Amino acid sequence: MSDLTDLLRRRIALEGPITIADYMTDALGHPEFGYYFRQDPFGVKGDFVTAPEISQMFGELIGLWCAATWQQIGNPTPFKLVELGPGRGTLMADALRAGRGIPGFLDAADINLVETSPTLQARQRETLAAHKVTWHAGFDSLPDGPAIFLANEFFDALPIHQLVRRDGVWHERMISQSGDSFTFVLEKSQSKLAGLLAPHLNDAPDNSIAEISPASIAVANGIGRHIHDFGGAALFIDYGYRVSHPGDTLQAVRQHAFVDVLDTPGSADITAHVDFSAMARTVDGIAAVHGPVDQGAWLKRLGIVHRRDALTKSADDTQSRDIESAYHRLTDENEMGSLFKVMALTQHGCPAPAGFEDDH
Ligand SMILES: C[S@@+](CC[C@H](N)C(=O)[O-])C[C@H]1O[C@@H](n2cnc3c(N)ncnc32)[C@H](O)[C@@H]1O
């Protein structure tokens, strides 16, 4: 039994069943036993691999996207370049290297990272040692001013609630314990969160599960308001869906394999698919929403094929094979190409940013 298992069991014994959001919050973010606080989970030897860790092409294209977007919003100098949940800092390092080619961009960028985990902050400090960086434990302490926000696989780590439809009423799915195990139970009364669901979900058949992430909605809303008040843009990349629909997407991954979400909290990464339409709804009227578009199509519009070919020119055979395989992993439909989506926010009146030109 992990220390966190023990702690959660005592909490449930005292308070009764807890929400999935409470469970996720502790499993990922408990300051002593939380998953992201205990280790660096990335890479082949870790639990999962993210796009920036697959290839430098990903972060480089995002760096060029930031520079082009910065020019579209009128080269504000200085501006905040903010990344939420930066992992090992790889995306930001690649983005800054690519952004060097755009006159004035790097000098204007005031780099801010939002990261709760001291373990990962230390890792980011190493990766970004050549740059001046300010860290924030939360979104609220970010300074005012024009900003470009980046979030890759950040929203999927924010807590969700699950509601189950029974006889036309949504009840919250909670976590209790039975013997030595955690178990799902249903709250008897109607969930107050039901009002936050997209209205068409009320047509879902009995026993459907709907997911809602007030934490994600709050962050997206905060970013939208920041862009509205000070100017700027945001880029959200994550696995998820375009339109809210019923389904259970809660999952736990340990050493590159799916495991039981309720098994040994704190020892596996727990995520849920991101509902892009819920985030778009919350910024409606505050900022302009672009996309979401599939990651594969978006990277191709940004010129990943040219970047792949340029890298391959100076590569040996093994490196060329790695570059080709990374290209396919990032863009193929049966890999990350269509499961992962890209959505942008901009201040109103700004032209569609790169890669979103044909999306309205
Ligand atoms: C799946 S990782 C993604 C890392 C990185 N963006 C990448 O693509 O490699 C999630 C990141 O979000 C951070 N994180 C999770 N919850 C957070 C929160 N509530 N506030 C700030 N950072 C958080 C984690 O510590 C980690 O850096």
Side-chain angles (χ1 to χ4, degrees), residues 139 149 216-234 236 278-290 343-350:
F139 181 79
F149 296 88
S216 298
I217 292 172
V219 174
N221 186 274
I223 290 175
R225 287 193 179 284
H226 191 108
I227 291 171
H228 175 270
D229 292 347
F230 305 107
F236 303 153
M279 299 213 283
R281 273 199 306 277
T282 188
V283 296
D284 191 29
I286 306 174
V289 178
H290 308 271
M343 187 169 103
L345 309 181
T346 58
Q347 58 199 60
H348 280 299
C350 176

Side-chain angles (χ1 to χ4, degrees), residues 3 7 18 29 44 98-99 129 131 148 158 287 303 348:
D3 294 324
L7 204 135
I18 57 172
V44 181
H131 301 277
I148 296 180
L158 296 190
H348 280 299

Side-chain angles (χ1 to χ4, degrees), residues 12 26 65 73 86 141 213 265 277 279 294 303 308 316 333 356:
I12 292 170
D26 273 350
W65 184 90
I73 60 174
S141 62
S213 175
S277 58
M279 299 213 283
D294 289 353
R308 176 199 65 186
D316 62 26
E333 283 202 359
F356 297 94

Side-chain angles (χ1 to χ4, degrees), residues 36 42 48 50 52 83 85-87 114-116 120 152-154 158:
Y36 282 113
F42 300 88
F48 55 83
T50 55
E83 186 178 356
V114 180
E115 174 61 71
T116 40
L120 287 174
N152 182 61
E153 288 205 47
F154 168 73
L158 296 190

Side-chain angles (χ1 to χ4, degrees), residues 313-328:
K313 274 203 184 106
S314 54
D316 62 26
D317 285 353
T318 314
Q319 289 166 333
S320 296
R321 272 195 299 276
D322 287 349
I323 295 165
E324 186 64 20
S325 130
Y327 165 79
H328 286 293

